[in-house]
Amino acid sequence: MSSITEGLDRLTAPAKEKRNLEQLLSENERLEKIKAVINHERKHIIPRGQDYSYIPASLTYESYNHQWIRDSSKGILHLLELLDFAYESGMHFYLGKDVENIECDLAKSINTLWKAAEFFVENISKHEIRDISRLESKLGKNHVLGRFEIDENTNVRLCEADRGQLEEGRSWQMQYDSVPLIILATNKFIASYGTERIKESMPIAKKVLPWLASYMMNYYTTPCADAWEQYYSYNNEPTNSGNKNVGKTIDSYSLSALYAGIGAAKGLADTLNVPLPDLDQGKIEEFLFRYFVYKADSLAVQVLSKSKKEYGETMESIDSEAVEIFRLFKPKSLIGSDIEFNTINTIERTLIGKNTLPIRYKFFGKDENIKDSYFDGGRWLPNGLELAMYYVDTGEIDKARKIIEYVENKISLDGSLPEQELVDPASPNNDPSNYFAKNGNSMINCLWWSETAYLAAVSKYMRAAISANI
């Protein structure tokens, strides 16, 4: 190729990319839908003073009118993906002021998460028991719980509905992915913007990071509620309020989150120049590999199990949240392995089938009676969108596009996206708590996690499509 031709190619490449971006934004009225979703997701971010915010998981479902650490942290990660692509591709010109508004929202959101972390640490420290053989170590008051509220005066408090969880053994609000996700979201923000915009968080992070890191390391062999705030096996045990059924399952998702959390804590400690206690991340990975990789009779290949019983057997199970184990948490010995391939393949075969979106989980063999019956066990949009992002990372662009276009057709005129859809559910006509009926025979039709996951997935897809010139 002559130098003149090479020069022309360099000159015309940006124009080609611009035309490709414009084409992608025009498909399926995508730009209008992106703007609508941004407009709606920003309604979730309610200012609290100048530097903080409150993010209810849903604006229309009363039980979700709280701030979840998981949803907030993942939403931050998602919106950072959107911003990265917007600046790389030139899409920020189409979004205008929205880009700056999102940047401001994210800084406030991270400040709020660290304020919440400080709240939990200070309260736990008053009575903390780290000895996992003792009853008190299992009580909610000994743990960072999964959600909180922040009032107009920027005071963090426990949700009123969760106050009873403090004395519960293995509370459903004990969720070990909360701390790792705060740190992962913070590191990603710092990588793009540095620490100046979240300077309110930095003294807090310096103070509580060593405690949080040792907390994560201490509990990795113990049960907690999974990403769905559930346990799948119980034993009758003494609690502060008498004998109760106490959750006894450990989940590969939660373990992998702790693995990633330790690595992220080390990275943040380097940024902040804070010493950490000795932390052996490899022990968590070894535990995961030893107890969760299995070959079920019904599956025929080695996969990553969803759950195992404490001091007991691996349960034949698969969870669509395993996608985030491979995409976000990345245990070193599993990435790129046959186990990863087999697990994703099993999700496609058993949780998606002929549909586009996955149900949450499925158990096999002697545990096959365990069914997802929440809103009949519908198909989850955020999980499907996480899978779309995984497909982008693995070069399966057409698979990603199929999910993204499917979800785009679910976007309401106001830009909201639902949590689930009632399509070929896991437990048809089996909703023992009558969630569906109590919600006016409707699924939850507004979820920040879904909305931000769409913005991330469509951004990753368009980046890949432009790169591949398709």
Side-chain angles (χ1 to χ4, degrees):
M1 181 183 289
S2 71
S3 58
I4 294 175
T5 306
E6 288 176 344
L8 288 172
D9 281 351
R10 283 195 296 271
L11 287 170
T12 57
K16 287 179 181 177
E17 287 194 5
K18 183 178 179 182
R19 284 199 301 272
N20 203 347
L21 174 64
E22 290 173 347
Q23 181 181 8
L24 288 164
L25 290 174
S26 67
E27 290 173 359
N28 210 21
E29 300 179 336
R30 184 164 291 130
L31 178 59
E32 289 73 19
K33 291 178 179 179
I34 289 171
K35 287 182 174 181
V37 175
I38 289 174
N39 181 63
H40 196 274
E41 68 83 10
R42 292 202 67 239
K43 291 178 181 177
H44 287 255
I45 303 177
I46 301 168
R48 291 290 189 252
Q50 211 169 9
D51 300 310
Y52 302 96
S53 63
Y54 172 59
I55 310 178
S58 175
L59 298 175
T60 61
Y61 189 62
E62 186 177 355
S63 295
Y64 284 8
N65 187 25
H66 307 286
Q67 179 157 355
W68 266 260
I69 293 175
R70 175 186 302 110
D71 294 44
S72 299
S73 300
K74 288 185 178 179
I76 291 167
L77 290 166
H78 292 152
L79 291 173
L80 286 168
E81 192 73 52
L82 166 74
L83 292 177
D84 285 350
F85 172 71
Y87 283 121
E88 289 171 16
S89 66
M91 188 174 71
H92 64 292
F93 290 117
Y94 297 90
L95 300 181
K97 190 73 173 175
D98 281 339
V99 172
E100 293 177 28
N101 290 336
I102 293 171
E103 290 173 339
C104 183
D105 290 342
L106 292 182
K108 291 180 179 180
S109 301
I110 289 174
N111 287 339
T112 304
L113 289 177
W114 282 103
K115 197 174 181 69
E118 181 182 37
F119 165 82
F120 283 114
V121 171
E122 288 180 347
N123 282 280
I124 294 166
S125 298
K126 296 172 185 176
H127 44 68
E128 181 183 14
I129 301 294
R130 283 283 175 95
D131 182 351
I132 64 173
S133 69
R134 294 180 59 180
L135 166 65
E136 290 85 351
S137 76
K138 305 174 185 180
L139 300 180
K141 66 183 180 182
N142 209 57
H143 292 273
V144 177
L145 300 185
R147 63 183 182 180
F148 63 93
E149 291 178 349
I150 180 169
D151 65 22
E152 290 82 356
N153 297 316
T154 72
N155 297 309
V156 173
R157 63 192 180 207
L158 202 62
C159 300
E160 189 65 36
D162 295 340
R163 295 192 183 277
Q165 299 301 312
L166 296 176
E167 297 298 329
E168 286 291 326
R170 304 291 186 216
S171 163
W172 67 282
Q173 277 294 311
M174 280 175 54
Q175 299 163 22
Y176 293 161
D177 63 336
S178 294
V179 172
L181 286 168
I182 291 174
I183 302 172
L184 286 164
T186 302
N187 284 350
K188 188 169 175 63
F189 183 91
I190 290 173
S192 294
Y193 295 100
T195 60
E196 179 62 25
R197 296 190 184 204
I198 54 171
K199 58 186 177 183
E200 287 77 12
S201 299
M202 295 301 94
I204 297 173
K206 286 182 179 181
K207 180 174 69 171
V208 303
L209 185 62
W211 187 97
L212 293 173
S214 61
Y215 169 81
M216 289 188 287
M217 197 73 213
N218 190 69
Y219 287 105
Y220 75 90
T221 62
T222 65
C224 74
D226 68 349
W228 314 122
E229 302 177 325
Q230 296 175 337
Y231 299 87
Y232 303 89
S233 180
Y234 294 84
N235 276 358
N236 194 266
E237 292 186 359
T239 71
N240 281 5
S241 53
N243 277 21
K244 288 187 177 182
N245 281 332
V246 173
K248 301 290 285 185
T249 41
I250 304 170
D251 286 83
S252 55
Y253 166 85
S254 302
L255 262 178
S256 300
L258 291 171
Y259 168 87
I262 295 296
K266 291 177 180 179
L268 184 56
D270 288 343
T271 299
L272 300 176
N273 195 26
V274 175
L276 293 182
D278 186 33
L279 304 167
D280 189 351
Q281 190 180 16
K283 288 183 177 179
I284 303 177
E285 185 178 24
E286 181 184 344
F287 188 81
L288 177 70
F289 201 87
R290 178 181 298 175
Y291 292 109
F292 289 87
V293 175
Y294 80 113
K295 186 175 182 179
D297 292 339
S298 54
L299 299 179
V301 294
Q302 275 195 323
V303 300
L304 191 64
S305 168
K306 168 178 172 40
S307 304
K308 82 173 288 288
K309 297 176 183 177
E310 186 184 27
Y311 311 123
E313 62 195 5
T314 301
M315 304 171 77
E316 294 187 25
S317 53
I318 194 78
D319 188 349
S320 58
E321 278 287 48
V323 171
E324 291 190 81
I325 295 176
F326 303 118
R327 193 186 78 78
L328 181 60
F329 302 143
K330 298 182 181 298
K332 184 170 56 177
S333 60
L334 295 178
I335 298 303
S337 68
D338 287 344
I339 295 162
E340 176 182 351
F341 174 82
N342 294 336
T343 302
I344 297 297
N345 184 262
T346 303
I347 289 171
E348 292 171 334
R349 182 164 47 85
T350 64
L351 302 184
I352 300 175
K354 296 179 180 179
N355 299 285
T356 304
L357 302 179
I359 58 173
R360 292 194 291 183
Y361 55 81
K362 192 169 185 178
F363 286 76
F364 308 94
K366 63 183 179 181
D367 294 312
E368 66 180 358
N369 61 306
I370 300 173
K371 307 284 187 184
D372 181 8
S373 58
Y374 183 58
F375 281 85
D376 286 353
R379 298 187 173 275
W380 279 61
L381 276 76
N383 296 59
L385 290 161
E386 292 291 345
L387 184 59
M389 288 187 264
Y390 176 86
Y391 286 146
V392 171
D393 290 344
T394 56
E396 299 172 278
I397 308 302
D398 284 342
K399 284 185 176 181
R401 178 182 53 78
K402 178 183 175 184
I403 294 172
I404 289 162
E405 290 181 349
Y406 184 85
V407 169
E408 284 176 334
N409 292 329
K410 306 290 179 183
I411 297 172
S412 298
L413 290 176
D414 66 356
S416 64
L417 273 167
E419 176 185 70
Q420 308 177 49
E421 61 170 2
L422 196 59
V423 173
D424 191 15
S427 305
N429 303 312
N430 180 19
D431 181 12
S433 298
N434 294 314
Y435 290 112
F436 185 72
K438 290 175 183 176
N439 197 41
N441 294 317
S442 172
M443 306 303 270
I444 296 168
N445 58 25
C446 160
L447 190 73
W448 197 60
W449 187 3
S450 296
E451 293 159 14
T452 61
Y454 164 70
L455 294 172
V458 74
S459 297
K460 284 179 70 74
Y461 162 70
M462 288 193 291
R463 178 190 287 115
I466 289 171
S467 178
N469 199 26
I470 58 174

